[in-house]
Amino acid sequence: MDNGTKQEAGEFAGLEERIKERVRQKMASGLYNEDELERLTRLKSRVFEPSDQPVRVSLLDGHQGSRALHEDWDLAGPIKIQTGRGGLAGNIVTLFKKIYQKTLHRLIRITLVRQSDYNLAVRDTLQRAEQELSYQRRRYLELASRTLAAEKALDEMDRRMLKVERLEEKMTSLDRALKDLDRQGVFLKNRVMDMLEDIAKKSPSAVNVAEEKSKLESFDYTLFENLHRGSREEIRKRLEVYAHWFKGAQNVVDIGCGRGELLEVFAANGISATGLDINEEMVAECAALGLSATSGDAISFLKSRQGGSLGGITAVQVIEHMPVDVMGEFFKLAYDKLKPGAQIAAETVNPTCLTTFCGAFYLDMSHTKPVHPLAVQFMLERIGFSEVRIEYLNPYPAHMRLKTVAPEDFPSGVEPSFIVEYNANLDKLNGILYSHTDYAVVARK
């Protein structure tokens, strides 16, 4: 520190001491009123004395500390001449401030500039801190609200999960009960068959054993269909395409109508149709739904119809149950009984999609053999049908197909030609393994 600076510091210290002494004298003489002294005492204790209580600093609530930080940070600036006191004391204070402003304040404000700069920095820092605290408080309240909502949602989810668990327990219990009932049904069915045999031995003309046994077996096949074919809604959705193929047709026969899903599709689209199925349980299920269906086999039914009387024939998942000679007879009878311009559609499992052999086809033990679409197309053309086409149905979902690999996912250095060939081979495999589960051959007389 140079001599000039030391001299200024000494003068300032002496001036500060003289000012403090004059303030003490005025306080002793009663120049300041009691309210002002009490306010100064509170401010002094709040600022300078330590406290065990947490201190809340705010620049926005309007107390005296806030006003000082906002308005009185510039110690080098002009002082405020006005005072709240009245009378002689107020005049003296005002006079003193004017004298101080013109004399001492001009001398010391050079020294106070750095303090004013520091005060300004403190003020700005506190303001930013207050803004950040205010923002964080809002964020906290928002997060607290979201947390409360999430806790309520979790509580509700827990209650629902408890209901689901209880429902699962009931479903498991019901499944066990149904299996027990099914075992009892199998036992009773075998007892009934044994009784039929005994009755036939004692009185051969009293009952047609073969017919009654066929009825009992048809119940098993109905149960099998309900377990493995899929829900009614799913099957109806798959069969919607038939409403487009047979639009405007009337007097259509659905051979092997099963549970009647296609009959429902036709009814919803204004196409009159009758179902035929050898399974009496299936026919009864159709009747319960208000659908027209009769029991019988396809060959006998078609032989009983007049030539050119039918407006259309459908056979969904039927021809794979027929021996080749029966299939040929079926298509010849269909051609004879359809009226000119009417269509036939025969749908079956697609053997050109190899994964059907580990699923749909051999799951049903009543299937005799897979039928290639080109063989059916050739057969219909040789019989005399026109406009014969193959419609591939029910493609495998994308998530079940083999995934090709993007070029950027291959390791660096792999030849582009290899990437193209690799993905092309995956496409070929998808075509062989995961194409369409079914196909229909559609033709017109």
Side-chain angles (χ1 to χ4, degrees):
M1 183 182 295
D2 57 26
N3 294 331
T5 304
K6 291 181 180 179
Q7 183 178 358
E8 289 177 0
E11 292 176 353
F12 175 78
L15 178 61
E16 181 182 25
E17 187 57 35
R18 289 196 298 275
I19 293 173
K20 288 183 178 179
E21 179 58 28
R22 292 190 65 178
V23 170
R24 284 194 293 270
Q25 292 174 359
K26 289 182 179 181
M27 290 177 64
S29 65
L31 181 61
Y32 298 134
N33 59 37
E34 294 295 326
D35 292 339
E36 184 71 5
L37 289 175
E38 184 179 356
R39 183 184 68 78
L40 291 173
T41 302
R42 288 199 305 269
L43 181 60
K44 179 186 177 205
S45 63
R46 187 160 63 243
V47 174
F48 297 105
E49 295 178 4
S51 173
D52 295 333
Q53 300 298 322
V55 179
R56 179 180 180 273
V57 179
S58 174
L59 300 174
L60 304 175
D61 60 4
H63 61 60
Q64 293 296 325
S66 172
R67 185 192 64 78
L69 284 172
H70 276 292
E71 300 175 4
D72 299 338
W73 61 269
D74 188 3
L75 300 178
I79 66 171
K80 293 183 179 179
I81 303 301
Q82 295 80 8
T83 179
R85 300 178 181 83
L88 178 61
N91 293 334
I92 294 173
V93 170
T94 300
L95 178 62
F96 172 76
K97 287 184 176 182
K98 287 181 179 179
I99 295 172
Y100 173 80
Q101 173 76 22
K102 293 181 179 180
T103 58
L104 297 178
H105 186 71
R106 291 180 178 179
L107 295 175
I108 66 174
R109 65 181 179 183
I110 297 175
T111 305
L112 296 178
V113 165
R114 293 180 63 188
Q115 181 65 48
S116 296
D117 292 341
Y118 175 77
N119 291 350
L120 177 61
V122 170
R123 187 199 70 169
D124 292 344
T125 300
L126 289 176
Q127 284 180 331
R128 288 193 296 270
E130 178 70 23
Q131 291 170 357
E132 180 64 23
L133 285 173
S134 178
Y135 170 76
Q136 293 298 338
R137 182 174 181 274
R138 290 195 301 270
R139 289 285 297 156
Y140 170 78
L141 292 175
E142 180 182 351
L143 290 174
S145 176
R146 291 183 178 181
T147 301
L148 181 61
E151 289 176 351
K152 291 181 179 179
L154 287 174
D155 290 340
E156 178 64 23
M157 187 178 296
D158 288 340
R159 287 192 291 270
R160 292 185 179 182
M161 288 299 296
L162 182 60
K163 291 181 180 179
V164 170
E165 290 174 359
R166 291 175 179 172
L167 180 60
E168 288 178 348
E169 292 175 359
K170 292 181 180 179
M171 292 295 292
T172 302
S173 177
L174 179 60
D175 183 60
R176 288 196 296 266
L178 288 174
K179 287 180 178 178
D180 290 340
L181 183 62
D182 184 57
R183 283 194 290 269
Q184 295 177 25
V186 172
F187 173 76
L188 291 174
K189 185 187 76 171
N190 293 335
R191 289 291 304 273
V192 170
M193 285 190 171
D194 292 341
M195 293 173 63
L196 287 172
E197 294 288 351
D198 291 339
I199 293 173
K201 290 177 182 178
K202 295 176 181 179
S203 179
S205 61
V207 63
N208 187 330
V209 176
E211 181 179 344
E212 295 302 323
K213 282 186 174 181
S214 176
K215 291 179 181 179
L216 289 172
E217 295 296 341
S218 70
F219 176 81
D220 282 348
Y221 191 77
T222 301
L223 179 61
F224 175 84
E225 284 276 295
N226 290 334
L227 287 174
H228 297 289
R229 192 179 183 201
S231 67
R232 300 187 66 90
E233 293 75 14
E234 182 183 1
I235 300 303
R236 279 200 302 266
K237 185 177 180 180
R238 291 181 183 178
L239 297 174
E240 285 290 339
V241 66
Y242 283 82
H244 173 70
W245 293 343
F246 289 83
K247 184 178 181 180
Q250 300 298 320
N251 192 26
V252 177
V253 177
D254 181 23
I255 304 294
C257 64
R259 300 177 302 186
E261 291 94 344
L262 183 53
L263 295 176
E264 289 181 299
V265 171
F266 282 153
N269 289 274
I271 301 169
S272 65
T274 300
L276 177 75
D277 204 289
I278 59 173
N279 190 315
E280 292 187 356
E281 290 291 332
M282 299 284 195
V283 172
E285 190 169 343
C286 291
L289 295 172
L291 303 171
S292 174
T294 58
S295 177
D297 68 277
I299 301 300
S300 299
F301 177 84
L302 290 175
K303 285 181 177 179
S304 68
R305 302 296 100 177
Q306 293 183 355
S309 62
L310 300 179
I313 295 175
T314 57
V316 180
Q317 306 298 331
V318 171
I319 61 175
E320 69 272 17
H321 296 267
M322 298 178 176
V324 176
D325 56 339
V326 176
M327 188 193 313
E329 184 179 8
F330 167 71
F331 284 129
K332 289 176 183 178
L333 285 170
Y335 184 84
D336 181 57
K337 305 306 178 179
L338 285 171
K339 66 182 181 179
Q343 289 191 118
I344 183 173
E347 178 182 330
T348 186
V349 179
N350 179 21
T352 65
C353 179
L354 297 184
T355 48
T356 59
F357 293 112
C358 60
F361 189 82
Y362 286 116
L363 178 64
D364 189 340
M365 292 184 291
S366 65
H367 291 173
T368 59
K369 62 180 297 183
V371 186
H372 199 284
L374 295 178
V376 180
Q377 182 183 33
F378 176 80
M379 183 180 290
L380 293 180
E381 289 175 341
R382 296 300 293 172
I383 289 172
F385 284 97
S386 62
E387 302 179 21
V388 184
R389 69 183 190 276
I390 300 171
E391 297 278 357
Y392 290 98
L393 306 171
N394 308 320
Y396 268 98
H399 71 273
M400 296 184 65
R401 295 168 61 87
L402 301 173
K403 301 293 189 299
T404 57
V405 182
E408 59 269 19
D409 293 333
F410 278 88
S412 59
V414 176
E415 292 292 333
S417 58
F418 173 83
I419 297 174
V420 173
E421 184 175 358
Y422 178 86
N423 285 329
N425 287 334
L426 287 180
D427 289 336
K428 290 177 183 178
L429 283 174
N430 279 325
I432 296 172
L433 300 174
Y434 302 105
S435 56
H436 296 75
T437 61
D438 305 286
Y439 75 90
V441 176
V442 184
R444 189 181 302 276
K445 179 178 177 180

